[in-house]
Amino acid sequence: MLQISSFNPFHFFHILSRSASLTFPGVEINRIGSTRSIRMASSISNAVATSQQAAVSTQDELTQKIPTPPLQVAKRLEKFKTTIFTQMSSLAIKHGAINLGQGFPNFDGPDFVKEAAIQAIRDGKNQYARGHGVPDLNSAVAERFKKDTGLVVDPEKEVTVTSGCTEAIAATMLGLINPGDEVILFAPFYDSYEATLSMAGAKIKCITLQPPDFSIPIDELKSVVSKNTRAILMNTPHNPTGKMFTQEELNAIASLCIENDLLVFSDEVYDKLAFEMDHISIASLPGMYERTVTMNSLGKTFSLTGWKIGWAIAPPHLTWGVRQAHSFLTFATSTPMQFAAATALRAPDSYYEELRRDYMAKKNILVEGLNSVGFTVFPSSGTYFVVVDHTPFGLENDVAFCEYLIKEVGVVAIPTSVFYLNPEEGKNLVRFTFCKDEETLKSAVERMKQKLFKK
């Protein structure tokens, strides 16, 4: 059968011209001596083109009539949109803005750790790792935890290596929380918490920390505990506020948990970025290790966020649930990076001291700059984040302010309303990060001085 889409009328008439005279409906082709009459070729070519155009037009009409299928997502995740970090980073690229929003360094991690990863790859350590971690990393985690907290843990039974702390959080929620269990959060909170708890079917109860010091309202915390409360999920040093939970606050949480037989899930990824007080792991308090899952990672401390190496430390009876979930989430984590992570965790104390000094200098540049621009800057004792009140600049809420800041000023911040169950509670606040080189921080401050004015 002749296919119109590949039909070439001149080629067709060349074949037919081998006959002296051929007749088709409406077309006559005569061979006269050595010449041929192809007067009708152009007409047929035009007819074919018209037919092709009609087919394309019909196809366009059909395409327009077919509705676009709706985006599909399970009901437990319906409320969650594209993360604010993705949205703001995309806008930053589009407008050439300096990204002080998402918490990843714009400088590289230490060479001795990267070289350890390269060596592990060359040594052939490239296949699946043992599910709960290569033994050397499990041991290094246990050694570091003992040095930091004084607690002795079994690296084989109480340490589980995960693909970043975010997976440690997910494995803990999915492995230890049942549908209908109540879990208490402190708002503002890292957005992964709410999503993973929703996947676990948990009921979330929220305690809001208020500026300027974001202290824990202990009486309110006590009032929300019920017979259905299973756990408290906490983060210290705290993202996004930079708050560090005090000894008194941790003691109060511990007493409440022991009294009501609650678990604690403690996210401590910023433990080495503590500037104004010593970090305290709640697991180290009397009676708390047996009811605590401590979660941490390599990325923040060693500026290697893309490696996604994390871990969870817990007594065996809680580790069982974490490992069950981990087995069916990622099963195992990058093998050569685990060997390198073990090298990193055995870094001398001088590495951590220099890290804090470096970040203190960066923090001072940003905080002084934000104050000079006109923000109300709230204290940050840890992490590499600073929260400010944007309302002196006259924008209606945090999202509007951040969009203005990107498009008109050329600097990225993160609206904090995404870190609250009730976005209204965070509409006056935005978060900046100082995990950037000093020149980048100075350039961002200079842009804001030049283009951002109070109203």
Side-chain angles (χ1 to χ4, degrees):
M1 180 180 292
L2 182 65
Q3 295 186 4
I4 291 179
S5 62
S6 61
F7 177 62
N8 185 326
F10 293 97
H11 178 64
F12 182 57
F13 275 91
H14 171 71
I15 296 171
L16 297 181
S17 66
R18 296 180 183 276
S19 300
S21 180
L22 296 172
T23 303
F24 294 89
V27 182
E28 183 175 315
I29 304 173
N30 296 313
R31 183 170 184 172
I32 305 173
S34 62
T35 62
R36 300 173 289 159
S37 174
I38 56 171
R39 291 188 299 269
M40 295 301 293
S42 178
S43 298
I44 290 179
S45 178
N46 291 337
V48 170
T50 301
S51 176
Q52 290 174 324
Q53 291 170 1
V56 170
S57 177
T58 301
Q59 183 63 39
D60 287 344
E61 290 175 5
L62 289 172
T63 301
Q64 291 172 4
K65 291 178 182 178
I66 298 173
T68 302
L71 298 176
Q72 297 188 33
V73 64
K75 288 185 177 180
R76 60 184 172 273
L77 292 175
E78 275 182 339
K79 68 169 287 187
F80 301 102
K81 312 297 181 186
T82 302
T83 71
I84 194 66
F85 307 108
T86 300
Q87 294 175 40
M88 292 298 158
S89 293
S90 296
L91 279 174
I93 294 169
K94 180 178 179 181
H95 294 278
I98 297 173
N99 195 344
L100 301 189
Q102 194 167 0
F104 60 85
N106 69 340
F107 46 86
D108 216 353
D111 288 340
F112 78 93
V113 184
K114 293 184 290 184
E115 289 301 323
I118 292 167
Q119 190 60 52
I121 292 169
R122 287 176 175 158
D123 290 345
K125 295 170 180 176
N126 300 305
Q127 306 309 321
Y128 288 130
R130 186 178 65 169
H132 61 277
V134 301
D136 193 36
L137 178 54
N138 289 59
S139 295
V141 169
E143 292 163 15
R144 187 73 241 179
F145 196 59
K146 179 183 178 182
K147 195 166 189 176
D148 291 340
T149 67
L151 295 170
V152 176
V153 300
D154 186 333
E156 292 301 300
K157 296 179 180 179
E158 299 175 283
V159 176
T160 304
V161 176
T162 59
S163 295
C165 189
T166 299
E167 197 228 329
I169 294 164
T172 300
M173 302 307 130
L174 294 171
L176 295 173
I177 295 298
N178 289 308
D181 284 349
E182 293 177 357
V183 177
I184 297 172
L185 296 183
F186 297 103
F189 48 77
Y190 175 45
D191 60 350
S192 162
Y193 298 166
E194 184 185 3
T196 52
L197 285 170
S198 294
M199 286 189 271
K203 181 179 179 181
I204 298 172
K205 288 192 170 181
C206 204
I207 301 295
T208 299
L209 309 181
Q210 302 286 355
D213 59 359
F214 299 98
S215 60
I216 298 174
I218 299 300
D219 289 339
E220 184 182 353
L221 175 60
K222 291 178 179 178
S223 72
V224 301
V225 174
S226 76
K227 61 181 178 62
N228 296 318
T229 304
R230 169 71 166 160
I232 296 173
L233 173 53
M234 54 177 279
N235 171 215
T236 182
H238 183 256
N239 174 17
T241 67
K243 171 194 168 50
M244 294 183 65
F245 287 28
T246 66
Q247 179 77 65
E248 293 72 23
E249 289 171 332
L250 292 172
N251 286 340
I253 293 171
S255 296
L256 188 64
C257 290
I258 293 169
E259 180 183 341
N260 293 278
D261 193 23
L262 306 182
L263 302 179
V264 171
F265 306 141
S266 185
D267 175 355
E268 301 180 11
V269 295
Y270 300 100
D271 64 333
K272 298 298 181 290
L273 298 177
F275 306 118
E276 296 171 14
M277 64 180 73
D278 291 334
H279 168 73
I280 302 170
S281 289
I282 194 168
S284 67
L285 300 186
M288 287 305 295
Y289 180 73
E290 290 301 308
R291 61 182 66 253
T292 302
V293 179
T294 304
M295 301 168 288
N296 210 322
S297 75
L298 187 80
K300 307 299 189 294
T301 304
F302 291 91
S303 303
L304 296 166
T305 58
W307 285 20
K308 298 297 290 180
I309 302 293
W311 53 87
I313 302 171
H317 67 282
L318 298 180
T319 290
W320 173 249
V322 174
R323 288 187 180 179
Q324 286 295 93
H326 166 67
S327 294
F328 299 103
L329 286 171
T330 60
F331 172 68
T333 296
S334 172
T335 303
M337 302 316 185
Q338 288 194 55
F339 283 98
T343 298
L345 290 178
R346 294 187 176 109
D349 289 343
S350 58
Y351 172 81
Y352 299 100
E353 292 164 3
E354 183 179 349
L355 179 77
R356 280 190 289 271
R357 282 197 302 269
D358 184 46
Y359 269 114
M360 272 299 295
K362 297 178 189 298
K363 176 187 171 186
N364 289 337
I365 291 170
L366 182 60
V367 170
E368 290 171 10
L370 293 172
N371 275 315
S372 67
V373 170
F375 290 100
T376 301
V377 183
F378 299 114
S380 174
S381 301
T383 75
Y384 42 52
F385 301 117
V386 174
V387 167
V388 303
D389 186 332
H390 68 82
T391 55
F393 301 97
L395 278 298
E396 61 180 326
N397 57 46
D398 57 329
V399 174
F401 174 81
C402 287
E403 289 179 350
Y404 178 86
L405 192 68
I406 292 172
K407 296 174 183 178
E408 304 300 329
V409 181
V411 176
V412 182
I414 294 294
T416 66
S417 58
V418 299
F419 302 131
Y420 292 81
L421 283 185
N422 176 10
E424 284 292 305
E425 293 181 334
K427 69 178 183 178
N428 293 337
L429 307 176
V430 298
R431 187 194 79 179
F432 290 92
T433 184
F434 51 89
C435 59
K436 312 296 177 183
D437 62 76
E438 293 187 8
E439 285 307 308
T440 297
L441 294 169
K442 290 175 181 176
S443 296
V445 168
E446 191 58 34
R447 286 189 183 187
M448 287 187 281
K449 285 181 177 178
Q450 292 177 2
K451 299 181 179 180
L452 190 60
F453 304 102
K454 290 184 177 182
K455 295 182 180 178

